[in-house]
């Protein structure tokens, strides 16, 4: 999953980026509202963490512009302590959730997992497909209760597919959602990850839809 992190405080931004990357997210970061707006308008994100007090263009305006343009990705806004009116304004501008500074990384991660699974129409933190289960909280994958060991890229591909059972996902969509913007992307590597995943999973679970992409079988 790929996130946009918008925060102008360099210390907090670096800290958050490191925490999010450690949790397995591909992260693009912006430090002003104009950059943030452009990235959110043109790139594919599974969720956005948006500070409201930003240079050049404030966070509320950024959010309103995205929503006016039909950009529907989940957005979590970061608000100042005890500023209830900022929370109301954020939610009314189209935010899906908020966190008050200062906050614990664990809480941010839990809220993001919730937003991402809800956006994909998933209510449970444990995604299941037949005997295969992926726990989004621990990053643990099991097959009939037995642990399946995956590399971080294999996990990212499976995580994305398991959020969308039955949907056809193209290689370019997978590429966009597992790599950050500055990464040297090559959609051929997706084929390699899928090939390796298939060897670890029951046959037929990841279907190839000719000319379109991959689909997780609904079992
Ligand atoms: Ca700020």
């Amino acid at each position: 999953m790929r996130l946009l992190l918008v925060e102008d405080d360099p210390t907090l931004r670096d800290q958050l980026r490191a925490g999010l990357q450690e949790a397995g997210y591909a992260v693009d970061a912006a430090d002003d509202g104009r950059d943030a707006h452009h990235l959110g308008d043109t790139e594919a994100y599974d969720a956005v963490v948006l500070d409201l007090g930003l240079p050049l263009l404030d966070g509320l305006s950024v959010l309103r512009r995205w929503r006016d343009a039909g950009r529907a990705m989940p957005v979590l806004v970061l608000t100042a302590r005890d500023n209830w009116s900022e929370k109301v304004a954020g939610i009314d501008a189209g935010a899906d959730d908020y966190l008050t500074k200062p906050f614990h990384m664990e809480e941010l991660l839990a809220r993001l997992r919730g937003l991402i699974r809800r956006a994909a129409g998933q209510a449970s933190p444990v995604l299941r497909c037949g005997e295969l289960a992926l726990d989004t909280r621990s990053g643990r994958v099991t097959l009939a209760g037995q642990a399946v060991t995956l590399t971080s890229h294999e996990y990212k591909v499976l995580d994305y597919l398991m959020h969308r059972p039955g949907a056809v996902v193209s290689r370019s969509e997978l590429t966009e959602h597992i790599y950050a913007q500055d990464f040297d992307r090559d959609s051929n590597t997706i084929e390699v990850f899928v090939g390796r995943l298939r060897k670890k999973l029951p046959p037929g679970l990841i279907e190839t839809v000719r000319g379109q992409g991959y689909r997780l079988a609904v079992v």
Side-chain angles (χ1 to χ4, degrees):
M1 301 289 174
R2 183 175 170 206
L3 305 178
L4 174 61
L5 167 65
V6 188
E7 170 59 62
D8 58 321
D9 179 313
T11 311
L12 183 57
R13 187 175 60 246
D14 288 349
Q15 213 179 320
L16 292 177
R17 177 172 22 206
L20 294 169
Q21 285 172 338
E22 201 181 314
Y25 292 105
V27 182
D28 292 346
D31 56 9
D32 69 60
R34 219 177 279 166
D35 242 21
H37 174 258
H38 175 71
L39 283 170
D41 210 29
T42 53
E43 299 288 328
Y45 294 108
D46 295 291
V48 177
V49 178
L50 179 67
D51 181 35
L52 291 184
L54 295 169
L56 301 181
L57 186 64
D58 69 275
L60 281 179
S61 303
V62 172
L63 182 52
R64 284 193 196 103
R65 288 184 192 188
W66 284 337
R67 295 314 193 210
D68 285 349
R71 305 291 290 175
M73 66 284 199
V75 174
L76 182 150
V77 295
L78 303 179
T79 68
R81 194 187 345 219
D82 297 333
N83 194 340
W84 66 267
S85 59
E86 210 173 59
K87 293 169 193 161
V88 172
I91 289 166
D92 278 344
D96 301 276
D97 201 357
Y98 66 82
L99 256 184
T100 305
K101 291 181 186 177
F103 51 84
H104 287 280
M105 194 67 203
E106 284 308 316
E107 184 173 2
L108 175 63
L109 293 174
R111 288 179 182 274
L112 285 172
R113 286 193 295 270
L115 287 177
I116 290 170
R117 70 173 183 254
R118 292 248 168 232
Q122 303 281 350
S124 168
V126 182
L127 308 175
R128 294 180 193 279
C129 180
E131 294 201 298
L132 182 69
L134 183 151
D135 189 330
T136 57
R137 297 161 298 187
S138 61
R140 213 172 114 83
V141 176
T142 56
L143 187 60
Q146 300 292 308
V148 180
T149 308
L150 302 179
T151 65
S152 72
H153 279 110
E154 288 163 9
Y155 179 83
K156 286 174 188 183
V157 169
L158 184 65
D159 181 41
Y160 193 80
L161 290 173
M162 284 195 76
H163 273 82
R164 293 159 185 77
V168 179
V169 177
S170 70
R171 276 191 298 171
S172 65
E173 181 178 345
L174 275 169
T175 308
E176 277 190 331
H177 286 270
I178 70 166
Y179 294 122
Q181 195 192 28
D182 54 9
F183 198 88
D184 184 18
R185 298 179 198 175
D186 175 359
S187 65
N188 290 322
T189 60
I190 296 291
E191 254 177 299
V192 177
F193 298 144
V194 170
R196 288 182 194 153
L197 264 177
R198 279 178 169 149
K199 288 188 185 142
K200 299 180 181 183
L201 301 176
L205 192 77
I206 302 177
E207 303 169 340
T208 297
V209 182
R210 202 178 291 273
Q212 293 184 61
Y214 303 105
R215 179 172 54 204
L216 194 70
V218 180
V219 290

